[in-house]
């Protein structure tokens, strides 16, 4: 069974394997989203990530090859983005399921954090 750490390891591995990919971490509340973002960022080789931008509930690190590890709260800001993987943090409802289904339909892998 997956846990938060194994999901974060998998996302960090995706960034290592394909430094140009984009990974989103989305959720309703910034503190838990920030925590999950920092877990992935910590597991990723720090030298490959440029300094983080943090404004208005949006965190972003960029690889030298223009890949991104991004975190958004609320989830609506992330809708319509082309990404390789999405980690959703927090409770899910019908609206969130619809957004995550759209990510799945576009080919993104969707994970859910177990602990919030």
């Amino acid at each position: 069974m997956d846990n938060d750490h194994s999901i974060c390891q998998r996302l960090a591995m995706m960034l290592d394997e394909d430094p140009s990919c984009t990974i989103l971490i989305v959720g309703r509340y910034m503190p838990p989203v920030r925590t999950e973002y920092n877990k992935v960022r910590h597991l990723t080789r720090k030298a490959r990530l440029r300094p983080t931008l943090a404004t208005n509930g949006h965190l972003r690190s960029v690889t030298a090859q223009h890949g991104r590890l991004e975190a958004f709260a609320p989830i609506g800001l992330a809708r319509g983005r082309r990404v390789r993987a999405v980690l959703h943090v927090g409770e899910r409802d019908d609206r969130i399921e619809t957004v995550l289904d759209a990510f799945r339909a576009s080919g993104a892998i969707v994970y859910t954090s177990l602990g919030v």
Side-chain angles (χ1 to χ4, degrees), residues 75-96:
I75 195 169
L77 296 173
R79 204 173 315 175
R81 306 283 302 234
R82 298 240 358 131
V83 299
R84 182 163 167 205
V86 176
L87 170 61
H88 175 256
V89 180
E91 293 181 14
R92 289 161 72 155
D93 58 23
D94 291 342
R95 184 180 66 89
I96 291 169

Side-chain angles (χ1 to χ4, degrees), residues 44-112:
T44 306
R45 294 180 197 153
K46 290 178 184 166
R48 298 177 81 153
L49 288 172
R50 292 183 196 160
T52 302
L53 296 171
T55 56
N56 300 326
H58 177 200
L59 299 167
R60 182 175 70 203
S61 290
V62 184
T63 68
Q65 292 81 6
H66 307 294
R68 295 178 189 276
L69 171 64
E70 299 187 88
F72 290 90
I75 195 169
L77 296 173
R79 204 173 315 175
R81 306 283 302 234
R82 298 240 358 131
V83 299
R84 182 163 167 205
V86 176
L87 170 61
H88 175 256
V89 180
E91 293 181 14
R92 289 161 72 155
D93 58 23
D94 291 342
R95 184 180 66 89
I96 291 169
E97 288 293 344
T98 302
V99 174
L100 296 180
D101 285 345
F103 280 120
R104 282 190 198 95
S106 70
I109 302 165
V110 175
Y111 300 99
T112 300

Side-chain angles (χ1 to χ4, degrees), residues 23-39:
I23 292 173
L24 293 179
I25 300 173
V26 295
R28 288 183 173 179
Y29 304 108
M30 202 58 216
V33 173
R34 182 184 293 272
T35 298
E36 297 303 311
Y37 169 88
N38 285 333
K39 284 181 191 172

